[in-house]
Amino acid sequence: DSGVTQTPKHLITATGQRVTLRCSPRSGDLSVYWYQQSLDQGLQFLIQYYNGEERAKGNILERFSAQQFPDLHSELNLSSLELGDSALYFCASSVEAVAYNEQFFGPGTRLTVL
Amino acid sequence: GENVEQHPSTLSVQEGDSAVIKCTYSDSASNYFPWYKQELGKGPQLIIDIRSNVGEKKDQRIAVTLNKTAKHFSLHITETQPEDSAVYFCAGYNTDKLIFGTGTRLQVFP
């Protein structure tokens, strides 16, 4: 158990809908990272927050947004969902602001868009 | 930007044999190279990492080597065991983010 929690574990929804994925980092970690894992593209970095502020951005679609709250939990919002958004979404956390330290991954949320 | 290529995509070995997974990166400014292991139904977990100021690092049966000139790094697992079966990801750090390879599915047969 990494200490990172993600909810829900599974999510099934329809195209065009909006969903919110939630992540609670390990106690004491200030950084939260979001990754998308699809079968054909491996792990793709989406976005990082550090202590409430956006720190780094990957190839995150404009339909996706995230935020980190004062209690350090984070939410990833996915809107106007398409079939291609079906994937595993992982949250990871770390103590430092920089990504060149160990990241602790949660168990993931499996999103299925029908 | 950085691009990390990983080979092979699948690897099958007999228990007790060695396994080697190789990655290449494109940006010479990359300076941190972790390896993550992902077991079925779980999130990735760091197993070893190396920074650009060293050429090799070992941790029991696992070792990583880095060749900065050739821009490639490799994961070596010796005396493989069935519990080593998993998907392994290499990554390179560049401009505030980790870029992951596409993964290697390792199967260790008893």
Side-chain angles (χ1 to χ4, degrees):
Chain A
D1 184 0
S2 67
V4 178
T5 60
Q6 289 187 248
T7 56
K9 194 171 178 62
H10 300 279
L11 198 48
I12 301 175
T13 188
T15 54
Q17 295 298 304
R18 173 189 168 94
V19 297
T20 297
L21 313 183
R22 182 187 169 103
C23 167
S24 292
R26 290 188 325 155
S27 177
D29 284 358
L30 298 178
S31 272
V32 169
Y33 309 80
W34 285 98
Y35 291 90
Q36 179 190 59
Q37 184 176 43
S38 52
L39 280 175
D40 58 346
Q41 291 194 13
L43 276 164
Q44 300 288 319
F45 169 70
L46 295 177
I47 197 163
Q48 177 201 356
Y49 278 82
Y50 176 76
N51 204 21
E53 300 290 326
E54 184 183 304
R55 177 79 169 76
K57 217 167 183 176
N59 295 325
I60 188 168
L61 299 172
E62 285 191 11
R63 300 183 286 109
F64 296 1
S65 65
Q67 55 184 327
Q68 187 178 29
F69 295 87
D71 67 352
L72 300 177
H73 90 272
S74 178
E75 293 181 355
L76 179 66
N77 301 295
L78 314 177
S79 61
S80 303
L81 285 167
E82 302 175 358
L83 295 178
D85 298 328
S86 295
L88 265 171
Y89 290 84
F90 286 104
C91 161
S93 73
S94 68
V95 174
E96 306 280 350
V98 289
Y100 52 74
N101 289 287
E102 181 171 7
Q103 296 181 24
F104 296 85
F105 283 77
T109 293
R110 181 173 295 280
L111 173 66
T112 302
V113 182
L114 301 176
Chain B
E2 175 68 290
N3 183 45
V4 177
E5 294 190 358
Q6 182 171 349
H7 300 280
S9 57
T10 60
L11 181 59
S12 296
V13 300
Q14 203 75 31
E15 182 179 358
D17 287 350
S18 295
V20 180
I21 302 170
K22 298 180 179 181
C23 289
T24 59
Y25 60 97
S26 60
D27 192 334
S28 55
S30 294
N31 56 11
Y32 173 65
F33 306 93
W35 286 88
Y36 281 80
K37 175 183 180 182
Q38 186 176 18
E39 296 177 345
L40 195 61
K42 296 184 178 180
Q45 181 178 11
L46 180 73
I47 55 171
I48 195 167
D49 56 14
I50 191 167
R51 299 184 191 272
S52 58
N53 57 345
V54 299
E56 184 175 6
K57 185 176 178 180
K58 287 183 181 179
D59 182 2
Q60 299 182 346
R61 296 185 297 107
I62 292 173
V64 57
T65 58
L66 172 64
N67 183 326
K68 288 188 293 182
T69 303
K71 290 191 282 187
H72 68 71
F73 56 112
S74 300
L75 178 71
H76 305 253
I77 305 175
T78 58
E79 301 173 19
T80 53
Q81 301 167 4
E83 52 265 38
D84 294 329
S85 296
V87 179
Y88 291 81
F89 291 96
C90 64
Y93 171 78
N94 182 267
T95 321
D96 288 342
K97 54 185 174 286
L98 287 180
I99 306 298
F100 284 86
T102 49
T104 296
R105 182 173 299 279
L106 173 65
Q107 288 184 302
V108 181
F109 293 98

